Amino acid sequence: MQYAPVVVALPIADRPTSYRFYSEGLGLEAVGEPAEDGVPEPLQFALNAGFRVMLVPTGGFGWVIGRHEVAGRGQSECVVSLPAATPADVDQLVGRARAAGAEVVVEPGPQPWGYTGTFADPDGHLWTVLADAH
């Protein structure tokens, strides 16, 4: 069975801040019509035809996770990995994220598995950008 699109939900503190970071900072296009605050509800970005990230205010996120707790900033339960064609593309996207306010947690550079860099979004969620080693 195939599931498309796959949606990864991440808790956020502030909808407008996250919306600006992902749309203006990373250049992603939001899915859906804007709500009264000008931000689409639900706040989703399509990374490709089969994968979306949905950004949910922490209170609403609690409705989904029940008695579980949201991981605190600096505690990561997942890393979202974005492919890049070349090391220069890795540098560009990590640089763009930094300019938009991301914390670069691993500077772009060569690793045994490829050329990669990792940044944390405004809520501390980790995103790694990877150009495969060939």
Side-chain angles (χ1 to χ4, degrees):
M1 177 176 277
Q2 293 190 354
Y3 300 95
V6 172
V7 178
V8 171
L10 300 173
I12 60 170
D14 183 72
R15 285 171 37 86
T17 298
S18 293
Y19 177 69
R20 281 190 304 276
F21 177 80
Y22 283 92
S23 62
E24 297 170 16
L26 298 184
L28 297 175
E29 188 172 330
V31 177
E33 295 298 316
E36 289 181 15
D37 64 359
V39 176
E41 175 61 39
L43 181 53
Q44 292 188 46
F45 292 92
L47 298 172
N48 62 38
F51 183 77
R52 292 181 182 179
V53 63
M54 180 168 52
L55 305 170
V56 181
T58 303
F61 200 82
W63 297 338
V64 175
I65 63 172
R67 61 180 178 81
H68 293 263
E69 293 182 32
V70 173
R73 186 174 184 87
Q75 298 175 333
S76 299
E77 294 182 339
C78 78
V79 176
V80 180
S81 183
L82 299 174
T86 67
D89 292 337
V90 172
D91 292 340
Q92 179 186 21
L93 185 52
V94 172
R96 187 173 182 167
R98 183 192 323 265
E103 173 193 359
V104 176
V105 296
V106 177
E107 290 291 339
Q111 299 293 336
W113 55 89
Y115 188 91
T116 186
T118 303
F119 62 88
D121 74 4
D123 292 283
H125 302 298
L126 297 178
W127 291 77
T128 188
V129 186
L130 171 68
D132 288 332
H134 295 292

